[in-house]
Amino acid sequence: MSTAAAVATAEAQEPGCRKKSSSPRQIPVVGVVTEDEEAQGVFKPMDLNHVIKLLEETDKDDLEEKQLKCVKKLVQCYQNGLSLRDLAQIFKILNLCAGKIEKQPRFVESACDILKLCGLPFLKKKVSDEITYAEDTANSVALLGDLMKIPSSQLRIQICKCIVDFYHAEPPKKHIPGYQQASSSYKIQMAEAGGLAKTMVQAMTLLENQLIEKLWVLKVLQHLSTSEVNCTLMMKAQAASGICAHLNDPDPSGQLLFRSSEILWNLLEKSSKEEIIQQLSNFECLLALKEVFKNLFMRGFSHYDRQLRNDILVITTIIAQNPGAPMIECGFTKDLILFATFNEVKSQNPLVKGLKLSNSYEDFELKKLLFNIIVILCKDLPTIQLLIEGKVVLALFTYVKKPEKHKIIEWSAAQHEELQLHAIATLSSVAPLLIEEYMLCQGNARVLAFLDWCESEDPFFSHGNSFHGTGGRGNKFAQMRYSLRLLRAMVYLEDETINTDLCEKGAIQQMIGIFKNIISKPNEKEEAIALEIQSDILLILSGLCEHHIQRKCCILGCYPSEDYFLEKEGIFLLLDLLALNQKKFCNLILGIMVEFCDNPKTAAHVNAWRGKKDQTAASLLIKLWRKEEKELGVKRDKNGKIIDTKRPLFTSFQEEQKIMPLPANCPSIAVMDVAENIRAKIYAVLDKLDFENLPGLSTEDFVTLCIIHRYLDFKIGEIWNEIYEEIKLEKLRPVSTDTKILEAITTASENIGKMVASLQSEMIESQARQDVQNEQKVYAKIQATRKQRELANKSWENFVARTSNAKTLKKAKRLQEKAIESSRCSKRPQNAILHQTDIKGLNTTVPSGPVVTVESTPARLVGGPLADTDIALKKLPIRGGALQKVKAVKTVDEPNKSIPT
């Protein structure tokens, strides 16, 4: 709008209008557009305050005509869009027009014309106008919901069309200079801010018998429910229950059901799911859902009807998760069970007479949804009787069988496989609740026979497309996996009838066979599934064999199996795994070790084990103890010695937790400590190995072993101390005898701690003395070695001196002769024969002896290393003739005159 147009008045165009005010404040105006100006897209101003004042007047005869004419001019001026700065006044005009409709019906057209303008884009002169006029705009949009109270069908429909246009904005017909279109989402944001969704929900109660208006309101709510803010407002207005209760209202067009289900979906997804479920969990809503579902199930044949039917079933499934929903009371549960099983179990019920499912995608999804809702319904115990009457177990077992060749089925191969897996998974939830029906259907025999087929080499191409078929493409892993889950669920019941029946049918041998096959054929791609199958098999076997020695195929508790495990060096494998120091395995392995140590043959195997750096099992266990105490924050000095003799086992957690009086059936912190760490298990293993004869321990190990040896005494003292402290906290006074006993126990426990600490000190001191002695021995050895080296060096120097200096040699010779002479007897015995011991003319000072010199035969005479082979025969000497004679070996008995090195 131009500046000239903005300041102009409308007095000349409308008689009776106020004259232009002398005040500098500009009055909001809107202009009547002439033909030339319309071509240029500009406003010719019109005083909106004058229009409002005119509509508020009531005492003139020809007033209605003037009012209608004035509103018509207003609509003509705003045919290209509404300005945000004028919006509040325009909606005030709309409200005035709507208020006159009941007595002056001609104002319906005027109100509808203004509403049509509201469907056009809002215009802003400044970028900040969207923020500046946000509150006015939100209040104006909220007024649309309040106008729904006016009993005019035409007005209500136009209001709904206006709101729907918020979500399908059209560009302005002509561009107006100085104005630009507000953002496309601005109207939607203002509707959220003004709480329009809440008033539109409340308007639904006014339209009980007006189908057309109701459908338009539902269309509005369908658009509004795409926002989380609006869904929250609708939830607070109880929209879910109000809409759901009228799902089954007559509607030839089918829009009511479609739009209502869409709104319910949006409410469940975009607001509080729990609150919406609570709103829908009433008899009226569930009855409406039941009638709609039955009607669509029995008479819906189009693609659209089937999709809508499945949507209704999903909404029902969500509601069924609420235990308080009256599913049984309204008869919905019984109908759902019938619809889930009529294909597999013949029924005379008229609801399913002549009814048949096709292999279309929608019917296939319906079948899976029905299986799924059975799993949810069976959690409500009163449903069990209906499951029995509906023969659900028998219906599900029709899928637990190998594919039959040349048999026509209503599903495709991929669909049948998915339904088969879904049925077995459903049985895992239903069968444990219906033990009698499971046994009547020969459940164990059927499952074992099916497992037999899963393990066989029969050709079968699995599609593995579904959630349940994960990892089963091209194999029978998925079928085996869910069948074992079913067996595990039944064995976990600990029902002797079921377990005995399984054993009589050879389940134990079959499980062992499957387990061996899985291990012997590793599959890296499906390693996780194979591991789950192995785990389930082991759980089934343990369940069958528990409390029955004759069934044992496990190890612990069955002495032949234990002995075989020991023979195959199983204990070594357990200790190897323990040495890896994986915390998640330590507790489990130590528990197994405790059980194994009851076998008298185990100790020898444990003591024979050696780890890295020749580590023994006892040393490994003591090392684990030290690591565990470090993690638990137990107080020890640098040598591992006890610091607190009163509480030698106390952890940092125990120190943080104050002792509190507890009921007799609640374990105290000291008792819980036994189960929460591995110290008790380490003590049990070492106790069974005999603390006195543990090999390969260092002094540090022995220091720790002193504590482990007294673990039970310390723990008993700790518990008695807790009892004593609890008595004090409860302000109880034991009798004098009990007091003396308690004091004696605590004193004895502390004395044991002091005794252990004293023993540890002795060990540490003894080790220190031993270390000093060992150090002295090492020093003495080093000193002797050094002295020997000095003597050797001196001997060598004397030897070199004798060989290089004649005087020294002569001197040595004389000393040698003197030594020889002094060694002889002074008196010669009679008839003794004397022999000369020295060699005349010998000029050496070292002992002489025989020396053999061997000269090697030249290769040219023997022909080399290949002389004895066929190759050598082909290489005759060039000079020809026989091999030359080897020089004789010369033996030298004469003394070697060379200097030895």
Side-chain angles (χ1 to χ4, degrees):
M1 187 182 294
S2 63
T3 307
V7 296
T9 64
E11 292 175 340
Q13 287 76 16
E14 184 66 28
C17 290
R18 291 184 306 164
K19 292 185 178 180
K20 182 178 178 181
S21 172
S22 59
S23 171
R25 188 177 73 84
Q26 294 183 359
I27 300 172
V29 293
V30 65
V32 178
V33 184
T34 64
E35 292 182 0
D36 294 337
E37 290 172 334
E38 184 181 1
Q40 297 174 4
V42 298
F43 285 145
K44 190 168 184 180
M46 183 177 180
D47 190 347
L48 293 178
N49 286 334
H50 166 70
V51 178
I52 293 169
K53 186 175 181 181
L54 181 63
L55 288 170
E56 288 175 344
E57 292 179 358
T58 57
D59 56 349
K60 292 185 180 180
D61 296 336
D62 59 344
L63 185 61
E64 183 176 345
E65 290 295 333
K66 287 183 180 180
Q67 290 172 336
L68 291 171
K69 185 178 179 181
C70 186
V71 173
K72 187 175 181 181
K73 288 180 181 179
L74 175 69
V75 171
Q76 185 182 3
C77 291
Y78 276 97
Q79 62 183 332
N80 289 325
L82 300 176
S83 171
L84 287 176
R85 62 177 60 192
D86 301 335
L87 199 62
Q89 290 180 305
I90 291 170
F91 267 83
K92 187 173 183 179
I93 293 168
L94 171 61
N95 193 29
L96 289 169
C97 291
K100 296 176 180 291
I101 290 174
E102 193 170 354
K103 294 180 179 180
Q104 298 171 281
R106 293 177 64 188
F107 275 93
V108 173
E109 293 293 335
S110 299
C112 290
D113 288 341
I114 297 174
L115 285 170
K116 289 176 183 177
L117 296 179
C118 295
L120 296 174
F122 291 161
L123 302 175
K124 59 182 179 181
K125 197 164 187 178
K126 298 179 181 178
V127 176
S128 62
D129 281 358
E130 289 188 8
I131 300 172
T132 304
Y133 300 104
E135 185 177 353
D136 291 343
T137 306
N139 293 333
S140 299
V141 173
L143 181 64
L144 296 175
D146 295 331
L147 294 178
M148 290 294 292
K149 298 175 183 177
I150 296 173
S152 169
S153 176
Q154 186 180 352
L155 179 68
R156 287 169 173 172
I157 292 172
Q158 190 57 53
I159 291 171
C160 292
K161 288 180 178 179
C162 172
I163 298 172
V164 170
D165 286 340
F166 288 2
Y167 295 85
H168 307 283
E170 296 180 1
K173 296 177 181 178
K174 290 184 180 179
H175 176 67
I176 301 175
Y179 285 86
Q180 57 182 334
Q181 182 179 346
S183 60
S184 58
S185 62
Y186 185 67
K187 287 184 180 179
I188 299 173
Q189 293 171 2
M190 293 301 101
E192 293 175 357
L196 179 61
K198 184 177 180 179
T199 54
M200 291 305 293
V201 171
Q202 293 168 348
M204 284 284 292
T205 59
L206 305 172
L207 309 172
E208 291 292 335
N209 301 315
Q210 288 84 21
L211 178 60
I212 297 174
E213 290 97 322
K214 186 186 292 185
L215 292 177
W216 271 107
V217 173
L218 286 173
K219 186 174 183 179
V220 169
L221 291 175
Q222 184 182 359
H223 282 80
L224 291 172
S225 64
T226 56
S227 154
E228 290 185 4
V229 175
N230 287 335
C231 282
T232 302
L233 292 170
M234 291 167 67
M235 177 192 71
K236 292 178 180 178
Q238 302 291 313
S241 56
I243 292 171
C244 186
H246 294 87
L247 280 178
N248 205 32
D249 287 359
D251 173 30
S253 68
Q255 289 187 47
L256 186 145
L257 182 57
F258 164 69
R259 297 194 189 283
S260 298
S261 63
E262 184 73 20
I263 294 167
L264 291 175
W265 262 114
N266 290 339
L267 288 171
L268 285 166
E269 289 180 351
K270 294 181 169 63
S271 64
S272 172
K273 186 177 179 181
E274 293 75 17
E275 178 62 28
I276 297 299
I277 290 174
Q278 199 63 38
Q279 289 183 21
L280 296 174
S281 298
N282 59 70
F283 190 88
E284 189 179 6
C285 290
L286 287 171
L287 194 61
L289 284 167
K290 169 194 166 184
E291 295 303 323
V292 168
F293 181 75
K294 279 170 59 177
N295 185 54
L296 290 171
F297 193 95
M298 297 165 62
R299 301 177 184 87
F301 299 103
S302 67
H303 175 75
Y304 164 76
D305 287 342
R306 288 171 176 171
Q307 280 188 329
L308 191 56
R309 173 199 64 192
N310 291 356
D311 289 344
I312 295 296
L313 183 55
V314 173
I315 292 171
T316 304
T317 303
I318 295 171
I319 298 171
Q321 294 174 3
N322 179 16
M327 293 286 294
I328 298 175
E329 292 81 348
C330 69
F332 207 173
T333 298
K334 187 174 182 179
D335 288 347
L336 288 171
I337 292 172
L338 174 65
F339 293 143
T341 60
F342 80 95
N343 252 26
E344 294 79 20
V345 180
K346 291 182 179 180
S347 173
Q348 301 301 320
N349 194 305
L351 290 177
V352 294
K353 190 174 182 180
L355 197 62
K356 189 175 181 180
L357 296 178
S358 67
N359 63 352
S360 65
Y361 175 77
E362 289 77 23
D363 283 355
F364 174 60
E365 287 297 311
L366 171 69
K367 194 69 179 175
K368 293 194 295 181
L369 288 171
L370 288 169
F371 282 168
N372 186 57
I373 200 169
I374 285 175
V375 173
I376 294 170
L377 291 173
C378 73
K379 295 176 182 177
D380 188 15
L381 292 180
T383 309
I384 293 176
Q385 185 58 37
L386 296 177
L387 294 174
I388 295 170
E389 293 171 3
K391 300 180 180 179
V392 172
V393 173
L394 179 60
L396 293 172
F397 263 121
T398 58
Y399 292 92
V400 188
K401 59 184 178 181
K402 66 180 182 180
E404 297 180 14
K405 296 178 181 178
H406 312 299
K407 183 181 178 181
I408 300 172
I409 57 175
E410 61 271 22
W411 309 108
S412 68
Q415 287 175 334
H416 184 268
E417 179 197 347
E418 190 169 344
L419 288 176
Q420 181 185 63
L421 294 171
H422 208 141
I424 300 171
T426 305
L427 271 171
S428 299
S429 299
V430 175
L433 302 172
L434 306 171
I435 297 174
E436 189 175 343
E437 282 64 35
Y438 176 83
M439 296 302 293
L440 287 174
C441 293
Q442 296 291 315
N444 287 336
R446 288 180 186 240
V447 178
L448 292 175
F450 188 67
L451 277 172
D452 224 1
W453 170 77
C454 292
E455 196 184 6
S456 68
E457 299 295 332
D458 290 357
F460 175 73
F461 182 76
S462 173
H463 294 78
N465 296 326
S466 65
F467 166 77
H468 294 96
T470 304
R473 191 170 185 82
N475 56 52
K476 304 171 190 172
F477 264 23
Q479 285 79 358
M480 183 181 291
R481 178 189 189 186
Y482 282 95
S483 299
L484 288 169
R485 279 190 187 179
L486 172 56
L487 278 184
R488 186 189 68 188
M490 300 310 295
V491 170
Y492 265 33
L493 297 174
E494 296 185 358
D495 185 276
E496 193 56 35
T497 306
I498 294 174
N499 291 357
T500 302
D501 184 59
L502 277 170
C503 294
E504 289 174 355
K505 288 180 169 57
I508 292 177
Q509 290 74 18
Q510 189 171 345
M511 293 297 109
I512 293 172
I514 296 172
F515 188 82
K516 288 180 178 178
N517 287 340
I518 293 290
I519 292 175
S520 62
K521 298 175 183 177
N523 188 336
E524 292 182 1
K525 292 182 179 179
E526 313 303 340
E527 185 178 356
I529 295 175
L531 189 62
E532 182 185 338
I533 289 172
Q534 294 173 42
S535 176
D536 283 342
I537 290 173
L538 292 173
L539 288 170
I540 291 167
L541 289 172
S542 64
L544 291 174
C545 297
E546 192 173 9
H547 310 306
H548 295 275
I549 298 295
Q550 68 276 13
R551 295 180 188 170
K552 295 273 184 181
C553 56
C554 301
I555 299 169
L556 290 172
C558 181
Y559 296 129
S561 299
E562 285 186 7
D563 291 345
Y564 184 75
F565 184 83
L566 292 172
E567 288 174 12
K568 293 297 180 181
E569 298 182 348
I571 288 294
F572 289 179
L573 297 175
L574 286 175
L575 289 169
D576 288 341
L577 190 58
L578 189 63
L580 295 177
N581 204 6
Q582 297 290 328
K583 190 169 182 64
K584 56 185 176 181
F585 294 127
C586 284
N587 202 5
L588 180 62
I589 296 169
L590 286 168
I592 296 170
M593 292 288 295
V594 171
E595 296 292 334
F596 257 113
C597 285
D598 287 335
N599 190 322
K601 299 177 183 178
T602 303
H605 288 261
V606 174
N607 290 329
W609 178 83
R610 292 294 181 272
K612 290 182 179 179
K613 299 181 180 179
D614 206 33
Q615 185 182 32
T616 63
S619 176
L620 172 62
L621 292 170
I622 294 170
K623 182 180 177 183
L624 288 174
W625 175 286
R626 283 198 294 266
K627 182 184 176 186
E628 185 76 3
E629 287 202 328
K630 186 176 180 181
E631 292 175 357
L632 293 172
V634 181
K635 292 180 180 179
R636 299 282 184 262
D637 67 4
K638 62 180 181 179
N639 296 316
K641 185 181 158 187
I642 292 173
I643 294 177
D644 187 354
T645 56
K646 289 184 178 180
R647 300 178 298 179
L649 299 178
F650 243 50
T651 64
S652 57
F653 175 77
Q654 286 177 276
E655 289 184 350
E656 292 170 4
Q657 297 293 320
K658 294 181 179 179
I659 295 175
M660 297 173 59
L662 295 171
N665 60 344
C666 289
S668 65
I669 298 173
V671 175
M672 289 296 294
D673 174 73
V674 175
E676 289 176 352
N677 57 70
I678 62 174
R679 292 190 294 179
K681 290 186 175 68
I682 293 174
Y683 164 77
V685 173
L686 290 174
D687 182 54
K688 291 180 180 181
L689 292 177
D690 188 357
F691 284 103
E692 302 298 327
N693 299 307
L694 299 175
L697 300 184
S698 63
T699 303
E700 185 183 15
D701 293 337
F702 278 114
V703 169
T704 307
L705 189 63
C706 290
I707 301 172
I708 300 174
H709 190 198
R710 289 291 187 171
Y711 173 79
L712 191 58
D713 295 328
F714 290 149
K715 183 56 67 176
I716 291 171
E718 194 176 302
I719 293 169
W720 275 110
N721 185 61
E722 276 188 342
I723 295 170
Y724 198 16
E725 293 298 325
E726 284 185 23
I727 290 172
K728 289 180 181 178
L729 289 171
E730 292 178 354
K731 297 180 180 180
L732 299 175
R733 290 184 61 189
V735 296
S736 57
T737 307
D738 289 344
T739 304
K740 289 179 181 179
I741 292 172
L742 283 171
E743 291 175 353
I745 291 171
T746 53
T747 304
S749 177
E750 185 178 355
N751 289 339
I752 292 173
K754 291 178 180 178
M755 181 187 70
V756 171
S758 175
L759 181 60
Q760 288 177 318
S761 299
E762 288 180 12
M763 288 181 175
I764 293 167
E765 291 171 3
S766 175
Q767 181 62 37
R769 288 194 298 270
Q770 185 65 39
D771 290 342
V772 171
Q773 291 177 3
N774 291 340
E775 187 178 355
Q776 289 174 350
K777 288 180 181 179
V778 170
Y779 284 143
K781 187 175 181 181
I782 292 171
Q783 195 173 16
T785 302
R786 185 177 182 83
K787 187 174 182 180
Q788 187 66 26
R789 192 174 296 164
E790 289 176 355
L791 291 173
N793 289 340
K794 189 174 181 181
S795 176
W796 172 251
E797 290 172 0
N798 292 336
F799 176 75
V800 172
R802 291 198 305 271
T803 55
S804 59
N805 191 321
K807 290 182 179 179
T808 305
L809 181 62
K810 289 178 181 179
K811 185 179 179 181
K813 178 67 173 177
R814 287 195 298 270
L815 289 172
Q816 185 182 37
E817 289 175 349
K818 187 177 180 181
I820 292 169
E821 188 63 31
S822 62
S823 65
R824 291 173 178 169
C825 298
S826 55
K827 295 182 179 180
R828 294 181 181 178
Q830 293 180 357
N831 303 323
I833 300 173
L834 298 175
H835 300 278
Q836 193 69 25
T837 58
D838 54 352
I839 303 171
K840 299 296 184 181
L842 184 63
N843 295 322
T844 64
T845 59
V846 294
S848 56
V851 179
V852 178
T853 302
V854 178
E855 294 183 3
S856 224
T857 307
R860 61 186 175 80
L861 299 179
V862 297
L866 301 176
D868 296 333
T869 63
D870 294 337
I871 299 174
L873 299 176
K874 297 177 182 178
K875 297 181 180 179
L876 297 175
I878 297 175
R879 290 189 292 179
L883 295 174
Q884 298 180 13
K885 292 182 179 179
V886 182
K887 289 183 180 180
V889 179
K890 182 169 63 178
T891 302
V892 181
D893 290 331
E894 298 176 358
N896 188 354
K897 298 181 181 179
S898 61
I899 300 173
T901 59

